[in-house]
């Protein structure tokens, strides 16, 4: 890692006082308000910040890919010494073909679905002037370079026949075709599973050592940026408010915004029983808002009169000359009150002290698809205590959502299984459940945009729910809705708006309000914060914890975010291919010894704390449930597989210590030695 | 690199992201984004109390009104509506009176000439608007109504019902519309209601198919799941939850169908299944006139045919502008 920011050679990317506006309905709205940074050849520079802060716009401006209503009104961008801002169309085309490449968030959308991969990769090379034959050879080489094992067969396939990770590799191979001086990665792993993300990040890391391309890495995930980038710029409202070597910035932030951002993450293994998460008060200013002085002014806890009148200067930090913050009061950061104070209310102790609300025994769910049987859930045994949070983790395709939908009766479980609520038999299908059972179990969905009827006002959504679930009608229902809204910190004004007029966080509050409309016993939360920014996520997680403490509601919390599940869950179930592989108290599952699959999941998460974890990698992808491997379903990917045992018999789910069960042939002590002894 | 040309960010997404308060994550479906229009202003200006639905409607209406195709189409349609409303009160002559020699070519006093029995073609064309405008919109509205109901059932209930109805719809679509209509009208008699009913039934399958595909995109969204979780009936989910969200394609379909209905009704009366002879119906006039076309008497055919064409084109121009605003094409 080289930390020297001002290299003697020409910077690979030099952005100076860049100002960009978007013209919306005839009015120019400022998006970038003077962004400056430079990246040396071979260096990786990260841009972080919440949605709407201008990260992507910076990248698009650097490539001159701004949408038709966006224009650069000031400043300059130069790549390897060539000025990009003033380039003609022809020069721009040459520049994009040979100097700089970009990789986008959704690899599926970056590849043409109706052309074979080969044709698309080969085209990259023919565009560079190679002959058809040469290009064919180069394409195979390019795929080898991104560690694709059988490049010839991948070239023959269509994009949809490849997994997400494989598609992203192909896209990266195409981006690297011209040996670019600058590679822009815009949220390259955001839509991918943690295990696949780890794989792609490993690849990028390996490629860095092979090429001298400078990397501009954009991500909202601070852990990813920390593990990938030498230096990082923290953006807020179209300006870089803090810059420096990533480790220093994340360990010792020097701008109030960075401080707030880092504090709102569930880190260092903190739990809801210990403290609430910190949030940043207020909201990101609207695009185009006039922000004459400090952009963070309105949300800053230590803002003074000086901040209102004088633009904060670039304040160098330390003596190395590679760090700065744009704050008048970086010496007063200690005064920022830590809002993440210890929670006064005591949360619930482990589940065995509480009566079980929901019990699942021998629950299986088999789908039928074109005559084939697909077991999506296999013999799941679970119980959920009153006021308890059960976290469910696993890769996509592991059966997490099917489990949730089966509990709720959206999917009907197979014959032979049994659901019970408060000790009484619970019908498998929602339609057959009585009013009380319906009221008792509700759900908060992942994407509030699809979960709220966009033709209805918030008030109508909530009133309908109150009426339907509790039987309260008319004015009384309206009154209850207003109470409910107040409880969830929604203002009466929000009630008369349509969902699309609300921000993501507010929409999710409405969705939670809806779930709580009938005082449910159990709320199933399916990735409720994965579409939200971290500071908003913190507020939602706090809200869920508060509601639980007050109403003794039980949660089933599905997530792929290990930090979140560790913060919120009392117990965790790890699922793989429709089976529970490990279940236990949160501390036991996190501290180990864990099931090898859990171990892999945990070690694939890049941490913003920079804690070094034993990294084991999973090869390949989750097999199709239609055709599960023999023996232990995890054995083909298991790094600790015992040949002759694991591939023959499926291990049962056995209690390895009190309240902690797993499905593994390897004895607990052996696992402990393997995982902690090293 | 050519692939990257397609990867320019969708400008719509960025336009509709004026800040955190109204931020729409990129996972949102584009329909929601496109229809954002001015609604952001509500949040910004704090005018929140104005009914937002009314405001969105007003905004759509404003956008539609601005389009030249709507203005031209609207003007033509209004001319015919006025003709239909006032009929023989504004025609220069009574449409049924024999006023002059037969087959007079266009001239002063008879700008469109006279027909085979000496009636004024201009007056008959003006009065003829009434027959078409009485039947076509009604037929289209009924057809869309049936189509919406069937389409909702097919899309939402799905399964075997969808399978059966889909086959029936396909069978209907394979039938020659005009022949079936003629057959039905000869069997049932040619009152206005029979014509309306027959045209409506013939339109139903097309509308049902459009609505079905719109419903399919909605029914797996989580708000529908949420409605099921609180035990809503299928009828409620279909008509109160899903219907308002598929209204845009339905309105578009309605305007398009009115155009088709004008065309179908004129064809039917051309073939003799329209109002009986003395009536100044456009299709009947064309059918009267075209026999003498070879003798150089063009005006008895040309003007009613032009009337039909102008109305169909005008309605299609309106349909087109409604579609491009509502569906953002």
């Amino acid at each position: 890692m080289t930390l020297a920011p001002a290299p003697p050679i020409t910077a690979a990317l030099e952005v100076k006082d860049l100002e960009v506006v978007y013209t919306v309905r005839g009015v120019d709205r400022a998006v970038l308000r003077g962004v400056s940074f430079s990246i040396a050849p071979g260096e990786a520079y990260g841009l972080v910040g919440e949605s709407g802060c201008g990260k992507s716009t910076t990248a698009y401006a650097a490539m001159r890919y701004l949408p038709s209503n966006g224009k650069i009104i000031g400043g300059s961008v130069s790549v390897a010494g060539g000025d990009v801002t003033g380039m003609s169309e022809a020069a721009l085309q040459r520049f994009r073909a040979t100097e700089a490449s970009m990789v986008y968030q959704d690899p599926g959308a970056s590849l043409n679905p109706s052309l074979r991969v080969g044709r698309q990769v080969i085209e990259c090379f023919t565009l560079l002037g190679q002959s058809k034959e040469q290009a064919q050879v180069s394409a195979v080489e390019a795929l080898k370079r991104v560690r694709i094992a059988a490049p010839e067969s991948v070239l023959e396939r269509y994009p949809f026949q490849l997994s997400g990770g494989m598609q992203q590799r192909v896209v990266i191979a195409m981006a690297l075709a011209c040996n670019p001086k600058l590679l822009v990665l815009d949220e390259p792993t955001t839509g991918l599973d943690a295990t696949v993300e780890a794989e792609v990040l490993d690849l990028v890391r390996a490629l860095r050592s092979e090429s001298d391309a400078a990397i501009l890495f954009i991500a909202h995930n601070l852990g990813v940026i920390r593990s990938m980038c030498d230096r990082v710029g923290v953006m807020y409202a179209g300006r870089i408010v803090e810059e420096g070597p990533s480790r220093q910035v994340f360990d010792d932030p020097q701008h109030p915004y960075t401080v707030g951002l880092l504090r709102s993450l569930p880190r260092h293994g903190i739990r809801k029983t210990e403290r609430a998460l910190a949030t940043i008060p207020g909201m990101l200013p609207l695009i185009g808002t006039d922000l004459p002085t400090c952009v963070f002014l309105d949300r800053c806890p230590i803002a003074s009169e000086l901040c209102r009148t004088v633009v904060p200067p670039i304040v160098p930090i330390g003596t190395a000359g590679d760090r700065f913050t744009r704050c008048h009061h970086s010496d007063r950061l200690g005064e920022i009150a830590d809002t993440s104070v210890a929670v006064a209310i005591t949360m619930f102790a482990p589940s065995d002290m509480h009566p079980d609300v929901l019990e699942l025994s021998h629950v299986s769910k088999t789908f039928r698809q074109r005559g084939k049987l697909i077991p999506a859930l296999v013999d799941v045994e679970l119980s959920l205590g009153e006021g308890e949070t059960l976290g469910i983790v696993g890769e996509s395709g592991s059966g997490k959502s099917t489990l949730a939908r089966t509990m709720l009766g959206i999917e009907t479980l197979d014959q032979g299984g049994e659901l019970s609520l408060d000790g009484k038999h619970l019908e498998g299908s929602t339609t057959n459940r009585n009013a009380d059972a319906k009221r008792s179990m509700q759900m908060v969905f992942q994407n509030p945009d699809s979960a709220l009827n966009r033709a209805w006002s918030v008030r109508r959504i909530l009133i309908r729910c109150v009426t339907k679930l509790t039987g309260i009608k008319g004015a009384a229902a309206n009154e209850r809705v207003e109470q409910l809204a107040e409880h969830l910190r929604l203002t009466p004004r929000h009630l008369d708006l349509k969902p699309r007029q609300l921000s993501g966080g507010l929409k999710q509050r409405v969705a939670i309000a809806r779930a709580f409309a009938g005082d449910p016993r159990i709320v199933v939360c399916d990735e409720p914060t994965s579409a939200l920014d971290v500071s908003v996520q913190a507020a939602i997680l706090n809200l869920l914890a508060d509601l639980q403490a007050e109403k003794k509601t039980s949660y089933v919390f599905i997530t792929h975010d290990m930090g979140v599940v560790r913060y919120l869950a009392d117990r965790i179930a790890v699922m793989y291919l429709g089976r529970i592989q490990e279940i236990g108290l949160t501390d036991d599952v996190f501290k180990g010894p864990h099931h090898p699959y859990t171990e892999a999941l945990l070690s694939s998460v890049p941490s913003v704390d920079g804690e070094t974890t034993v990294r084991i990698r999973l090869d390949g992808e989750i097999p199709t449930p239609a055709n599960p491997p023999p023996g232990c379903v995890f054995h083909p990917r298991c790094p600790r597989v015992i040949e002759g045992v694991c591939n023959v018999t499926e291990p049962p789910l056995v209690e390895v210590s009190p309240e902690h069960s797993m499905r593994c042939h390897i004895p607990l002590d052996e696992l402990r030695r393997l995982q902690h002894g090293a | 690199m050519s692939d990257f040309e397609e990867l320019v960010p969708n400008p719509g997404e960025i336009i509709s992201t004026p800040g955190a308060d109204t931020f729409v994550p990129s996972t949102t479906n584009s329909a929601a984004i496109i229809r954002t229009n001015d609604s952001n202003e509500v949040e910004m200006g704090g005018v929140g109390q104005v009914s937002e639905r009314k405001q969105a409607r007003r905004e759509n209406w404003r956008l539609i009104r601005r389009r030249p195709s709507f203005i031209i189409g609207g003007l033509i349609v209004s001319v015919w509506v006025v003709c239909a409303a006032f009929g023989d009160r504004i025609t220069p002559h009574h449409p049924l009176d024999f006023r002059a020699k037969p087959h007079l070519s266009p001239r002063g006093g008879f700008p469109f000439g006279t027909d085979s029995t000496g009636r004024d073609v201009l007056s008959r064309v003006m009065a003829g608007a009434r027959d078409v405008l009485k039947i076509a919109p009604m037929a289209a509205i009924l057809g869309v109504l049936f189509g919406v109901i069937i389409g909702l059932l097919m899309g939402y209930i799905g399964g075997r019902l969808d399978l059966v109805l889909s086959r029936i719809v396909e069978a209907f679509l394979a039938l020659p519309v005009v022949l079936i209509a003629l057959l039905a009208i000869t069997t049932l008699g040619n009152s206005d209601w029979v014509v309306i009913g027959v045209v409506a039934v013939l339109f139903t399958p097309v509308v049902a198919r459009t609505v079905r595909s719109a419903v399919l995109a909605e029914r797996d969204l989580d708000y529908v799941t949420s409605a099921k979780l609180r035990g809503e009936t299928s009828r409620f989910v279909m008509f109160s939850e899903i219907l308002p969200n598929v209204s845009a394609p339905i309105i578009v379909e309605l305007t398009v169908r009115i155009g088709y209905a004008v065309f179908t009704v004129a064809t039917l009366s051309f073939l003799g299944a329209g109002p009986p002879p003395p009536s100044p119906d456009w299709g009947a006039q064309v059918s009267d006139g075209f026999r003498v076309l070879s003798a150089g008497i063009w005006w008895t055919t040309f003007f009613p045919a032009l009337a039909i064409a102008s109305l169909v084109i005008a309605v299609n121009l309106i349909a087109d502008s409604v579609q491009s605003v509502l569906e953002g094409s």
Side-chain angles (χ1 to χ4, degrees), chain A residues 206 318 351 384 532 654:
Chain A
S351 62
L384 184 64
L532 307 175
V654 288

Side-chain angles (χ1 to χ4, degrees), chain B residues 143 146-147 150 154 163-181 183-184 197-209 257:
Chain B
F146 298 152
I150 294 178
M154 287 164 74
L163 206 70
V164 172
L165 285 177
S166 290
R167 294 299 91 77
I168 295 175
V169 161
E170 276 159 23
F172 254 88
L173 289 174
L175 294 173
V177 175
V178 171
L179 275 187
I180 296 300
L183 193 70
V198 167
V199 174
V201 168
L202 287 169
F203 282 180
T204 302
V206 193
V207 181
R209 222 167 44 163
R257 284 298 124 198

Side-chain angles (χ1 to χ4, degrees), chain B residues 104-164:
Chain B
L104 285 179
S105 58
R107 63 192 64 202
F110 301 98
F112 286 7
T114 61
D115 69 0
S116 57
T117 46
R119 290 172 296 198
D120 178 30
V121 174
L122 172 64
S123 303
R124 287 180 66 78
V125 166
M126 284 170 73
R130 183 175 287 178
D131 283 311
V132 177
L133 289 178
K134 212 163 50 178
I135 295 173
M138 193 46 125
I141 289 170
L142 273 185
V144 168
L145 194 70
F146 298 152
V148 165
I149 295 171
I150 294 178
L152 277 169
L153 287 170
M154 287 164 74
Y156 182 69
I157 309 282
R160 216 162 277 173
L161 180 81
D162 182 33
L163 206 70
V164 172

Side-chain angles (χ1 to χ4, degrees), chain B residues 225-238:
Chain B
T225 312
S226 166
K228 285 185 201 159
L229 274 180
R230 59 173 192 265
E232 300 286 6
T233 59
S234 296
R235 204 175 70 187
F236 182 88
V237 175
M238 282 190 284

